Amino acid sequence: MQAQFILSAASAADFPRTGLPEVAMVGRSNVGKSSLINALTKLKIARTSAAPGKTRLANFYKLQYPVPNPQSLYLVDLPGYGYARGGQDSVEEFEVLTRQYFDPAPDSGRRIAGVFHLIDARHPDLPQDAAAFEWLMRTQLPLAIVATKMDKLKQSEQATTVRTLERRLGVRVLPESVMKGTGFDEIVKQIRQWSGRL
Ligand code: GDP
């Protein structure tokens, strides 16, 4: 697999229009999205930081899988939500960019293959996440949950958390821990399966 950073989009005009399948990642600030993207791309460029809520851009990465099943796609890192630290304006800006992202014009040359909604396994019941999930469901795109930071749960809580989320939300839940390096294989399989459908 080869990965490269393509661009950071501040508005819809910046989105690439190559027609490559896109898999989007959405989640609350600090959920562990940059860490996961670093792990999946094996690049150290998705900015991880202890000061959440600062990234207001959509970052596009191109992933290329080699033979025997060659595949190219974009992994798209959308701005984190749930942090108003930058003030009302930055919240609005985030909403506009995300709405623009999920509402491509028919002639835009863009194809969204699927969406990962990242949820912190320790906090599966946050109202901001519930609102974001409902919003994402309405796009009618293929959607799966990634339950992040599974290492923070006791062994005995891990399976229950995944099952409870799956039952409540009615979509697939993929557990992962960047700290332990677990869960990536299933995420990559899902990325490739979605992309292969387009
Ligand atoms: P983002 O704001 O969603 O991009 O979140 P980051 O990737 O920057 O991660 C936020 C914080 O959570 C950082 O301090 C990370 O080191 C930490 N973190 C991310 N993934 C994991 C994980 O799997 N386990 C643990 N224990 N911490 C994690």
Side-chain angles (χ1 to χ4, degrees):
M1 193 274 302
Q2 283 191 326
Q4 81 193 101
F5 171 73
I6 301 295
L7 57 82
S8 291
S11 77
D14 302 332
F15 295 151
R17 294 160 170 250
T18 57
L20 277 191
E22 299 178 15
V23 172
M25 300 231 167
V26 189
R28 196 169 49 84
S29 297
N30 215 36
V31 71
K33 187 157 50 64
S34 308
S35 304
L36 177 59
I37 289 168
N38 285 340
L40 292 174
T41 59
K42 303 187 174 78
L43 297 169
K44 284 271 186 302
I45 49 183
R47 203 169 47 85
T48 61
S49 82
K54 288 217 182 130
T55 316
R56 303 269 168 242
L57 303 168
N59 302 306
F60 284 70
Y61 300 86
K62 186 174 179 180
L63 304 189
Q64 290 176 283
Y65 294 93
V67 286
N69 297 305
Q71 221 174 7
S72 295
L73 56 102
Y74 289 129
L75 192 63
V76 186
D77 175 18
L78 291 170
Y81 57 81
Y83 251 85
R85 181 176 288 193
Q88 189 62 28
D89 284 352
S90 53
V91 172
E92 302 254 302
E93 192 182 315
F94 149 70
E95 286 176 355
V96 169
L97 188 61
T98 301
R99 246 183 284 129
Q100 288 176 337
Y101 178 80
F102 284 111
D103 190 20
D107 61 349
S108 68
R110 297 186 45 233
R111 298 187 302 159
I112 304 173
V115 184
F116 286 118
H117 184 197
L118 279 64
I119 289 184
D120 189 326
R122 290 169 303 173
H123 309 292
D125 300 315
L126 297 177
Q128 326 66 309
D129 285 335
F133 180 79
E134 271 181 37
W135 195 93
L136 290 169
M137 283 293 279
R138 284 202 291 275
T139 66
Q140 300 194 323
L141 291 163
L143 177 62
I145 299 289
V146 171
T148 67
K149 311 190 188 182
M150 289 298 288
D151 58 279
K152 299 248 190 178
L153 297 186
K154 291 188 208 122
Q155 190 75 33
S156 58
E157 296 169 335
Q158 294 185 0
T160 327
T161 299
V162 171
R163 263 202 312 273
T164 307
L165 271 172
E166 262 175 350
R167 228 176 272 145
R168 173 152 43 95
L169 302 176
V171 300
R172 216 177 155 212
V173 176
L174 305 175
E176 111 353 42
S177 163
V178 172
M179 183 158 274
K180 296 262 189 217
T182 55
F184 304 150
D185 289 357
E186 287 302 311
I187 295 171
V188 169
K189 264 194 225 162
Q190 183 68 83
I191 289 173
R192 298 199 61 175
Q193 198 213 328
W194 279 336
S195 304
R197 273 195 215 145
L198 289 186

